[in-house]
Amino acid sequence: MKFIDEAKIDIEAGKGGNGCCSFLRLKFMPNGGPDGGNGGDGGSIYLHADESINTLVDYRFVHSYKAQDGEKGGSRDCSGKGGDDMILRVPVGTMVYDDDTGELIVDLNKNGQMECLAKGGRRGIGNAHFKTSTNRAPRRIVPGSPGDKRNLRMELKVLADIGLVGLPNAGKSTLIRALSAARPKVADYPFTTLYPNLGVVRASKHRSFVIADLPGLIEGAAEGAGLGIRFLKHVARTRLLWQVVDLAPIEGEPLDAINVIAKELEKYDEGLIAKERWLVFNKSDLLLPEEAEEAVQKLVKSLKWEGKYFLISGLGNAGTEELVKQTMYYLEALKKEADAEAAEASNESKEQGTL
């Protein structure tokens, strides 16, 4: 399935049903009072975040969605049936914008999260509602109101713990194939990965994390070179970046490759370059062990790198076990820290509530 991460749709909630103007007419009550019922409310349109959906492909060809209108009221005080709501399922991580103003409406970043994007029209009022002691035969009704209309732009940012970045042919796809059940295309030419691929890495029986393999970046990506920076938005939600570096490239130098990626990340968003980033030196199998270790130490020293780095072979799985283990420790530490902050915030709110 082709990865679709952007879509534009038009939505319209249902119109409320009109109120009814009617008078009771029976055999022995030829001049009965008003009995016009109210209309039904129009159906609303909701967006529902569903983790079983991975792309916005469902909205690529169908762009207009309209909820059901409410039925009009009937005689004998019969109310019209309300219109059915429409629920549109989207992937978790979908950001919804107003296409006319560019305003962010909602960020659907939790599984099961549901938001009303277009409220159905309010029901109309029948003439029986306006009956009073002084106005026994009202002919007044209130029509149903129209439902909300909106032009939406949906943008998907995949939710992954780890984001893989690097130049084309650095071995990102080979690495994700080695660590997970994902099977992205692998070939000996650049840009074999055209769309992000997600894989689940299992560190042990009940411990796992998600990695996202992103299309390769090249120098000038921020200006649109190669595949540009279209997919860098997916990195924004990751908690850790693995910068995959080809230790034995056919062209260029590993040091230049590291600097190019760092430069493009910073051009796109300064927050990305500030994100925790580990260097993953790949293709160690193409060098002798002592040569590979010497090359890594030289690069780390030249960069004055203070973060973590690993020497691996995605093809031969060498060094990947330690990479996975350290990553799992890091993510679990982040979770503990986040849980502690949430607990502290909850305690503070309870204390303020008792004051």
Side-chain angles (χ1 to χ4, degrees):
M1 180 186 294
K2 189 175 180 181
F3 187 91
I4 305 296
D5 62 349
E6 290 184 357
K8 291 185 178 181
I9 60 173
D10 307 325
I11 60 173
E12 181 180 355
K15 178 183 179 297
N18 294 330
C20 174
C21 182
S22 172
F23 294 89
L24 185 62
R25 294 292 185 265
L26 297 176
K27 181 176 181 181
F28 300 105
M29 294 181 65
N31 296 316
D35 67 346
N38 300 329
D41 292 325
S44 300
I45 297 182
Y46 293 83
L47 257 62
H48 178 251
D50 189 340
E51 63 182 2
S52 66
I53 302 175
N54 296 321
T55 78
L56 293 169
V57 68
D58 293 340
Y59 305 98
R60 186 180 182 190
F61 302 107
V62 181
H63 301 287
S64 296
Y65 297 86
K66 188 180 186 307
Q68 190 176 36
D69 292 337
E71 295 182 357
K72 66 180 182 179
S75 57
R76 299 197 180 186
D77 289 321
C78 290
S79 297
K81 180 184 176 183
D84 293 334
D85 294 332
M86 178 178 286
I87 299 176
L88 305 179
R89 298 193 306 152
V90 297
V92 177
T94 301
M95 302 180 73
V96 185
Y97 296 87
D98 188 309
D99 195 40
D100 297 323
T101 65
E103 176 190 2
L104 175 64
I105 301 172
V106 64
D107 183 0
L108 298 167
N109 56 11
K110 295 180 181 178
N111 183 45
Q113 183 178 352
M114 187 178 293
E115 299 288 341
C116 179
L117 273 295
K119 183 70 174 175
R122 187 174 175 79
R123 64 182 180 178
I125 306 299
N127 67 333
H129 179 81
F130 299 101
K131 179 177 64 175
T132 65
S133 59
T134 57
N135 184 11
R136 298 184 178 183
R139 296 182 178 274
R140 177 188 172 191
I141 64 167
V142 175
S145 61
D148 294 338
K149 290 183 180 180
R150 265 182 162 170
N151 300 321
L152 303 179
R153 175 171 58 87
M154 297 188 293
E155 184 177 295
L156 172 61
K157 290 185 178 180
V158 297
L159 295 174
D161 299 300
I162 310 299
L164 271 64
V165 294
L167 292 180
N169 276 11
K172 300 185 299 299
S173 297
T174 301
L175 180 57
I176 196 174
R177 287 171 68 100
L179 299 180
S180 72
R183 290 294 176 264
K185 184 177 181 180
V186 175
D188 60 352
Y189 55 84
F191 299 114
T192 52
T193 301
L194 300 178
Y195 303 97
N197 293 292
L198 296 180
V200 178
V201 179
R202 300 198 178 278
S204 61
K205 187 175 182 180
H206 298 293
R207 299 162 72 223
S208 63
F209 56 86
V210 179
I211 56 177
D213 171 26
L214 304 179
L217 297 172
I218 62 174
E219 187 172 5
E223 285 76 38
L227 292 177
I229 54 175
R230 176 182 171 189
F231 297 107
L232 268 180
K233 61 190 173 188
H234 300 300
V235 180
R237 292 189 188 272
T238 60
R239 293 187 280 178
L240 173 65
L241 296 181
W242 286 355
Q243 184 173 344
V244 183
V245 183
D246 186 347
L247 204 55
I250 298 175
E251 296 180 0
E253 295 293 332
L255 182 61
D256 296 333
I258 296 171
N259 291 329
V260 164
I261 296 301
K263 184 179 178 182
E264 297 305 322
L265 289 174
E266 188 173 18
K267 278 185 180 179
Y268 178 76
D269 184 353
E270 292 183 359
L272 290 184
I273 198 64
K275 189 183 288 289
E276 181 74 16
R277 181 164 48 104
W278 294 355
L279 295 181
V280 179
F281 296 100
N282 194 20
K283 303 185 182 180
S284 63
D285 54 308
L286 298 180
L287 301 173
L288 294 174
E290 56 273 13
E291 290 179 348
E293 186 63 38
E294 183 181 349
V296 167
Q297 294 302 324
K298 185 178 178 181
L299 288 168
V300 170
K301 186 176 180 180
S302 299
L303 291 166
K304 297 181 180 179
W305 186 257
E306 297 179 354
K308 289 190 176 184
Y309 59 92
F310 298 85
L311 176 61
I312 70 159
S313 169
L315 186 62
N317 270 337
T320 56
E321 185 177 346
E322 182 64 19
L323 173 61
V324 170
K325 183 173 71 172
Q326 292 297 325
T327 300
M328 196 72 248
Y329 288 154
Y330 176 79
L331 295 175
E332 288 174 342
L334 284 183
K335 186 178 184 303
K336 288 181 181 178
E337 184 179 339
D339 291 343
E341 291 179 355
E344 184 178 350
S346 176
N347 292 333
E348 288 180 357
S349 62
K350 289 180 180 178
E351 289 176 0
Q352 291 177 357
T354 57
L355 295 177

